[in-house]
Amino acid sequence: MKPSLHTELCGIELASPIVNGSGTLDALAAGTLGLAAFVTKTVTLHPRDGNPPPRIAETPAGMVNSIGLANPGLETFCARDLPRLAELGVPLIVSVGGWSPAEYATAVSRIAGHPRVAALELNVSCPNVESGCISIGTDAAETRALVERCRGLTELPLLVKLSPSVADVAAIAAAAEAGGADGLVLINTVRGMVIDRDTLRPLLGGGGGGLSGPAIRPVGLHAVYHCRRSTGLPIVGMGGVSSVDDVVHYLAAGSTAVGVGTALFRDPGLPARIVRELAEEIAARGLTSVAELVGTAHESKAKALHKL
């Protein structure tokens, strides 16, 4: 019997566990590339041009970006982009960001009213802006207060996207859970910098940026593993995913779904290939569903599987 890749994320039915990382795919131009859900680029209350160029630089094990949350703003997104994204044919998860709880609340209230939005991602982890977002997500009390405020505005699932650039990401995850989060997204990029070899000045227009790609995969796995242990919340794990093995490792660490991000720039066909190979991997391990892989790195789940 063919293994089942069916995944349920906070009550959302997915054909597989593979989604995209926010901001890594223009679905209006490229389609969904075989992804089971589409996560939008982070939307803010007001339009943003983003950071000055250059905004992207390659590194030996990934890339550093300094996009700076460039987006058309809430009104244009809702009027122009949201109706088109709603026709993609897969569940739509809208990512929102802001510089104050009030800005998040306004975005959540407006977007949650659209009938085709399946969930909201609260981005409290963008490293490419000076305030808001990550300044909220590095403080447990602020994270809890923000989630509580947004929780009172919608019954849609709230996924909170966290940064690993904190002393204890599991503590921030627990605060999000206490505030009413339905799930977590782990991780956003890690703060980094690239120096121009000729000028010896920061290469990116924003100075520093967010490191992504294979270099941060161990960081992502560590965050997923420990946040799973501390909260038990469903997790969308991501960070350096570029193969089916990476997906299996994130699932084992405790992810319910897995996001593909930087690798899409190099290989847009990767999600569809991972979906095919994941079914083969599950069958080769003698399992019948992707759900049986989730959490197997944790001792209790490993013992339960061993007894089967």
Side-chain angles (χ1 to χ4, degrees), residues 42-48 71-83 94-97 102-112 120:
T42 297
V43 181
T44 59
L45 182 58
H46 303 293
R48 285 183 58 82
N71 75 98
L74 180 63
E75 291 304 317
T76 298
F77 173 80
C78 289
R80 183 191 69 192
D81 299 340
L82 185 53
V94 179
S95 177
V96 300
E103 291 192 4
Y104 280 90
T106 299
V108 166
S109 296
R110 179 71 185 278
I111 294 168
L120 289 154

Side-chain angles (χ1 to χ4, degrees), residues 9 14 16-21 35-39 93 236 238 257-260:
L9 174 67
L14 304 179
S16 82
I18 309 303
V19 303
N20 66 296
L35 298 163
F38 177 70
V39 184
I93 300 172
V236 181
M238 64 181 69
V258 178
V260 182

